[in-house]
Amino acid sequence: MNATLAVAPSHSSGQTSVLVWSAAPLETGVKEALDAAVQGTGGLLLIHHDCDAALALLARSDGSAGLAGQPASEPPSLPDPVALVVLVVQQLDQVGTARALARAAPKAGCMVLMSAAHEPALRRALMFSTPTGTSWHLERADDPLLCERIHAALMQHVHGQRLRTTLDRMKLSLTRPSPVEASEHRRLVASDLLLGSVLRHASDAIVSLDDHQRIQSWNDGARRLFGRDASRVLGTRLSELFDSPGDVTALFNEAAGQAGRKAEWSARVGPQSKIIEATLDGIPDDAGRRIGVLAILRDVTAQRRNERELVAASRQKDEFLAMLGHELRNPLSPIRNAAEILRLTDKGSDPRVRRASDIIARQVKHLSGLVDDLLDVARVTRGAITLNKNNCHVAAVVAAGIEQARSLIDAKHQELQVHVDESCMVLGDRERLTQVFSNLINNAAKYTGERGAIVVHVSADEARVKVSVSDTGVGIAPELLPRVFDLFIQGARSADRTQGGLGIGLSLVKSLVEAHGGSVVGQSPGLNRGSTFTVTLPRALGDEQFNGAPAGAPFPAGNRLRLMVVDDNSDAADTLGMLLEAQGHEVNVQHDPLDALARAEEMAPDVFILDIGMPRMDGYELAKRLRQLHAGSHAVLIALTGYGQPEDRLASRRAGFDHHLVKPLDAAQLRGLLEHIVPTTRH
């Protein structure tokens, strides 16, 4: 028999009728609780085990109530809509049937009785499967207070008020639960209430979806994010909220694997367009089957705008630093040239001239180093530096670093000890590694007093090379040591520390070493107890190849060349011309690139030394035009400019330059280049 109908007394109205669906026969305790809950209400209790029959009954609730044994083709009906639908769910695959029955009675209260054996999985599944526009009470089928809870749900729906407080005080003749069962039940209920409160009040939008992408729950965060109440979105598809529905559907389908999937979509919220970060996770049951999808949505519009502004600001900063480097280098070049001219022309007649020349040269070199470090740290920190890696002898690289710091060490009469393993090689950029060790050795000399000691030690094992630089100087305070490699971090300055800096040297060292696949650490026992910095680099394998050695033997010194210097900065051009003439060369100085083009064919220089940033025609264009002339087709073109970034060097090569030198000019470097150039045959 499909249904059992219990008929109330003749004065019943059906307003307190209860429809029960259970796929299996009801357990005795559940049946007794239902009977007791309905007893005395004047309502009917109709129990069905067939879903279709129960749906048909709900659809035909406008006729007279049938009786037990009524033919299945004529399902019974109730005189009024049912007040409460009770659904007994014992397996996960019954959740869909329960949802269908609940939707069929939108005006009735709904209670789901869960099997105790599968309660955790059922509770999760049912929480995310609440029918659109309705709600249901979740109760355990073996709850000792089940009768009271059914009666309370029934009366709450009929009279619109909660009777839970009164009912909890009622003492009916039911078996009292054991303390353990009651405690566990209270814990589960409290846990569910807490979880529901957390989800509702979370700042992020947390939305649950069914397997068809329909929205099942909508918390306060979602309401704030989209400006829509739950009543407007429940039952709609998540993709309908965004500008690219197809992308949302694709991510939803990917979330079937239950792994967190992330994406960003745009959505129109009123007059605003928002960028929303979405994370979708499949919701599995205890058997691992997906029963829904959880979407966590966050407004990242301001964050993305800030990121774009930071990128733009960083680009503007790089452009400013490049221009700053150019503008600072331009005046340094004639100063250095003038100092070199003084040194060459004095011939030792006046020691004051020689001393003044040396002072100018040292200070120009110091300022040039600050400019180079400032530009380098900007490039390295954003990963824009390119390393020209080859096998390098560590001993040679360390020696080059010592040479750059030698003047400071000698000036302070410091003792320098060097212990080097001549066989050590690393794969690296010789120029950049020299910069690393020059910084470390220069720092050691700077922060060590008169007649202090500096020790450089190189050692290696099969895989790594270690270079340590130790000193007996001022040391590092314990609170500063963890941040010693941070940008612009310096120890306290004392009045006699004239060799200051910008606080970027160690940050640059760390970035360059890490770019080579190595590491650097700093150690110090404390203030006035010295410090040690140790660089560890991967050891190179393979044939020895010294990076940076000139190819071939130099030509004999003393070659007299015809040179043309072109620079709109007259001081820089004239002092360079004077310096080159003092070295025995024939020099023609031009301040206008158009005049240089006109004079080039007549003079046929062996070497053109060109500035880049000039009015009327920049150095790149001038180089291209000179290459088209007979006089410039075989000449050596040297760029001498304040622009020294990698992209500037690449641009000069593309324009036809053979060499790229950065202002202020290193006279020894230029002299070395010129010594390798053979003068053209004079006719």
Side-chain angles (χ1 to χ4, degrees), residues 265-440:
W265 304 311
S266 61
R268 177 66 59 177
V269 181
Q272 294 180 309
S273 179
K274 292 184 177 181
I275 301 174
I276 296 175
E277 179 187 75
T279 303
L280 270 61
D281 282 282
I283 304 171
D285 59 20
D286 286 351
R289 294 171 296 187
R290 190 178 81 162
I291 57 175
V293 169
L294 183 68
I296 300 177
L297 310 171
R298 180 177 298 144
D299 185 358
V300 294
T301 308
Q303 180 181 340
R304 297 295 174 262
R305 181 177 61 250
N306 292 339
E307 289 172 355
R308 290 193 300 270
E309 292 174 354
L310 285 173
V311 170
S314 179
R315 183 173 60 252
Q316 292 172 353
K317 179 246 322 176
D318 293 338
E319 293 171 355
F320 168 75
L321 288 176
M323 182 59 64
L324 177 65
H326 177 264
E327 294 303 322
L328 289 176
R329 284 171 173 151
N330 268 337
L332 289 176
S333 193
I335 295 172
R336 174 176 279 181
N337 293 341
E340 186 69 12
I341 292 169
L342 287 174
R343 190 184 65 81
L344 291 173
T345 57
D346 175 57
K347 305 299 183 182
S349 60
D350 189 344
R352 292 177 299 177
V353 173
R354 168 70 62 160
R355 184 165 179 267
S357 174
D358 291 343
I359 291 172
I360 293 171
R362 282 198 302 271
Q363 295 306 314
V364 168
K365 181 180 179 182
H366 179 61
L367 184 54
S368 300
L370 293 178
V371 173
D372 291 341
D373 282 353
L374 187 62
L375 296 176
D376 280 342
V377 78
R379 292 198 298 269
V380 171
T381 51
R382 75 175 194 274
I385 199 164
T386 301
L387 299 178
N388 180 25
K389 290 185 177 182
N390 286 286
N391 283 352
C392 304
H393 287 292
V394 176
V397 175
V398 170
I402 292 173
E403 184 60 30
Q404 292 189 17
R406 173 64 70 179
S407 59
L408 179 57
I409 294 172
D410 292 344
K412 300 177 77 171
H413 308 288
Q414 294 167 340
E415 178 188 357
L416 175 63
Q417 299 179 26
V418 181
H419 307 280
V420 177
D421 183 345
E422 297 287 347
S423 66
C424 295
M425 296 185 67
V426 296
L427 180 64
D429 186 314
R430 174 182 167 82
E431 180 181 346
R432 293 302 183 182
L433 290 177
T434 299
Q435 190 175 4
V436 166
F437 297 124
S438 172
N439 259 309
L440 292 177

Side-chain angles (χ1 to χ4, degrees), residues 153-285:
L154 179 61
M155 293 298 100
Q156 177 181 331
H157 184 78
V158 172
H159 301 293
Q161 59 184 354
R162 295 180 179 273
L163 303 177
R164 217 170 15 244
T165 302
T166 303
L167 291 171
D168 284 344
R169 298 195 188 101
M170 293 177 61
K171 304 295 181 181
L172 301 179
S173 57
L174 296 174
T175 304
R176 186 177 297 277
S178 70
V180 175
E181 290 177 344
S183 174
E184 176 65 13
H185 177 68
R186 286 194 297 271
R187 187 191 66 79
L188 288 172
V189 171
S191 176
D192 287 344
L193 291 174
L194 176 62
L195 176 61
S197 179
V198 169
L199 293 177
R200 282 194 305 274
H201 299 296
S203 58
D204 288 338
I206 301 177
V207 179
S208 63
L209 313 170
D210 66 11
D211 272 340
H212 300 287
Q213 203 194 127
R214 291 188 293 260
I215 297 172
Q216 302 299 303
S217 66
W218 186 260
N219 73 339
D220 290 345
R223 176 182 56 78
R224 290 190 297 269
L225 178 59
F226 291 95
R228 304 185 189 185
D229 292 329
S231 59
R232 296 175 55 192
V233 296
L234 290 176
T236 63
R237 292 180 179 272
L238 179 69
S239 57
E240 296 175 18
L241 300 173
F242 294 95
D243 298 336
S244 303
D247 295 341
V248 179
T249 300
L251 191 72
F252 177 85
N253 294 333
E254 290 177 11
Q258 299 176 11
R261 313 295 294 181
K262 280 191 174 183
E264 290 184 6
W265 304 311
S266 61
R268 177 66 59 177
V269 181
Q272 294 180 309
S273 179
K274 292 184 177 181
I275 301 174
I276 296 175
E277 179 187 75
T279 303
L280 270 61
D281 282 282
I283 304 171
D285 59 20

Side-chain angles (χ1 to χ4, degrees), residues 57-81:
L57 173 66
L58 292 172
R60 296 180 55 188
S61 59
D62 55 345
S64 57
L67 298 173
Q70 191 171 342
S73 59
E74 293 292 328
S77 60
L78 299 173
D80 290 300

Side-chain angles (χ1 to χ4, degrees), residues 393-635:
H393 287 292
V394 176
V397 175
V398 170
I402 292 173
E403 184 60 30
Q404 292 189 17
R406 173 64 70 179
S407 59
L408 179 57
I409 294 172
D410 292 344
K412 300 177 77 171
H413 308 288
Q414 294 167 340
E415 178 188 357
L416 175 63
Q417 299 179 26
V418 181
H419 307 280
V420 177
D421 183 345
E422 297 287 347
S423 66
C424 295
M425 296 185 67
V426 296
L427 180 64
D429 186 314
R430 174 182 167 82
E431 180 181 346
R432 293 302 183 182
L433 290 177
T434 299
Q435 190 175 4
V436 166
F437 297 124
S438 172
N439 259 309
L440 292 177
I441 298 169
N442 193 69
N443 267 4
K446 184 192 305 182
Y447 293 104
T448 300
E450 295 275 347
R451 305 189 184 281
I454 300 171
V455 178
V456 180
H457 189 273
V458 180
S459 62
D461 56 25
E462 292 182 355
R464 294 177 299 276
V465 175
K466 289 188 176 182
V467 181
S468 63
V469 179
S470 303
D471 61 66
T472 58
V474 298
I476 305 171
E479 64 272 14
L480 182 64
L481 195 57
R483 301 184 297 121
V484 73
F485 292 103
D486 292 351
L487 195 59
F488 305 126
I489 294 297
Q490 287 186 308
R493 291 176 177 267
S494 57
D496 61 346
R497 259 187 56 204
T498 56
Q499 294 289 337
L502 299 176
I504 61 179
L506 288 179
S507 176
L508 182 58
V509 164
K510 183 174 185 291
S511 298
L512 287 174
V513 170
E514 290 178 348
H516 282 82
S519 62
V520 58
V521 295
Q523 297 171 305
S524 175
L527 289 175
N528 300 314
R529 298 178 66 185
S531 59
T532 299
F533 287 86
T534 303
V535 173
T536 303
L537 295 168
R539 186 168 186 172
L541 302 176
D543 296 336
E544 296 185 358
Q545 177 185 346
F546 193 98
N547 178 26
F555 289 93
N559 293 325
R560 190 171 190 270
L561 302 171
R562 290 193 301 270
L563 307 174
M564 178 178 285
V565 177
V566 186
D567 194 332
D568 63 307
N569 185 325
S570 58
D571 285 344
D574 294 344
T575 54
L576 178 57
M578 294 168 62
L579 175 60
L580 294 172
E581 286 176 346
Q583 295 175 358
H585 300 293
E586 178 186 345
V587 183
N588 180 270
V589 176
Q590 298 293 332
H591 302 142
D592 187 307
L594 297 180
D595 293 342
L597 277 174
R599 186 82 172 84
E601 286 285 24
E602 177 185 346
M603 182 183 178
D606 301 307
V607 180
F608 290 89
I609 303 175
L610 311 179
D611 184 31
I612 296 297
M614 296 185 290
R616 302 183 69 183
M617 182 187 299
D618 63 29
Y620 300 135
E621 181 62 27
L622 178 57
K624 293 176 183 177
R625 294 199 186 185
L626 287 172
R627 287 298 187 200
Q628 296 170 2
L629 300 177
H630 176 72
S633 59
H634 300 292

